[in-house]
Amino acid sequence: MAAVAGVTGPGGPEPSPAGAAGRPSGGEPVRVLVVDDDALVRAGLSMILGGVPDLRVVGEAADGAEVPAAVAAGRPDVVLMDVRMPRLDGLAATEALRALPDPPEVLVLTTFHADEQVLRALRAGAAGFLLKDTPPAEIVQAVRRVAAGEATLSPAVTRTLIAHVTGVAPTAGGPDPRRERALRQLDGLSEREREVAVALGRGRTNAEIAGELHMSVATVKAYVSRLLTRLDLNNRVQVALLVHDAGLV
């Protein structure tokens, strides 16, 4: 992940908006790989996405084990990834993909609103999740947002998911290892970076953060990119989970 231009360290200058996260559009369609063990689901998603001018389905896979070859062949920008598949599940496939140089973004497909496997996929680097009954227009918008470097979870869904799946109580009378690790990871942030991170933890959009912290949306995007680099994370959902683990929201 490339560092943001102008970043020199915790006390460095304001990040430049030119380094904001997101793929350059260049007028090219967003390339999408559809991964699901249900042939009807694959066909339906491919039909929905293939009918949109700025999206292009570059391949399908029926199992996580088929994903590496499909990614190498189709070079997708976004992978729609089913969670439950018979041989290699979506979690293992996501972890393998996110370990690659310049990996595609991953959108998890699930039938559950807040499933433990979804959380694990988000921690592994997935950009968000879609329910399989999501309306077609919202699926299209989600793919566009992910390709542009935005999270696919609405603020309400983000808060619900994080509250549901990270509410693991510490051992009675003892420290909470997850909280301590998260606090150490966040320790080197500047005050402004921490404010942006906490806003992400509250499920705020870039526009909402800009209004609350009195900065431009472009500057917010630059701060998000800077946070991802400094925290060695893949996307804003992981920042939100980290902040929640630290007990800051």
Side-chain angles (χ1 to χ4, degrees):
M1 184 179 299
V4 178
V7 173
T8 60
E14 293 286 302
S16 166
R23 297 176 182 270
S25 61
E28 295 294 324
V30 174
R31 302 168 66 86
V32 185
L33 173 67
V34 178
V35 183
D36 198 292
D37 63 337
D38 188 322
L40 287 176
V41 172
R42 291 199 309 274
L45 288 169
S46 293
M47 183 171 61
I48 291 168
L49 300 173
V52 181
D54 61 334
L55 303 181
R56 178 184 172 193
V57 177
V58 295
E60 297 181 8
D63 190 84
E66 301 174 9
V67 169
V71 167
R75 296 178 291 108
D77 301 307
V78 178
V79 177
L80 285 179
M81 183 82 74
D82 188 18
V83 172
R84 292 174 173 83
M85 292 180 285
R87 288 188 295 162
L88 188 71
D89 65 24
L91 172 62
T94 297
E95 290 174 334
L97 278 184
R98 295 306 302 179
L100 296 174
D102 193 25
E105 299 292 349
V106 177
L107 265 175
V108 174
L109 293 167
T110 180
T111 54
F112 297 92
H113 285 265
D115 181 78
E116 177 63 26
Q117 285 186 296
V118 173
L119 172 68
R120 292 173 61 198
L122 294 176
R123 290 191 184 280
F129 77 92
L130 289 175
L131 299 175
K132 288 188 177 181
D133 60 358
T134 299
E138 293 182 21
I139 294 176
V140 169
Q141 284 299 104
V143 170
R144 288 172 177 155
R145 286 197 301 270
V146 166
E150 293 281 349
T152 65
L153 306 179
S154 70
V157 172
T158 300
R159 288 190 290 268
T160 300
L161 177 69
I162 291 174
H164 179 82
V165 295
T166 63
V168 180
T171 304
D176 182 348
R178 179 188 289 174
R179 183 174 185 271
E180 291 182 347
R181 284 194 302 270
L183 286 171
R184 283 196 301 270
Q185 194 169 351
L186 294 167
D187 187 56
L189 298 183
S190 69
E191 182 179 354
R192 199 60 156 171
E193 289 168 345
R194 185 177 291 258
E195 288 175 340
V196 173
V198 169
L200 291 175
R202 290 176 175 146
R204 301 291 193 263
T205 65
N206 287 345
E208 288 170 340
I209 296 172
E212 290 176 2
L213 300 182
H214 308 290
M215 59 175 71
S216 70
V217 172
T219 300
V220 173
K221 290 180 179 179
Y223 265 106
V224 172
S225 180
R226 177 171 175 167
L227 283 169
L228 297 180
T229 300
R230 291 178 60 79
L231 298 173
D232 193 25
L233 298 175
N234 293 308
N235 56 60
R236 61 196 290 137
V237 178
Q238 288 183 315
V239 177
L241 290 170
L242 183 67
V243 167
H244 196 283
D245 286 347
L248 300 182
V249 293

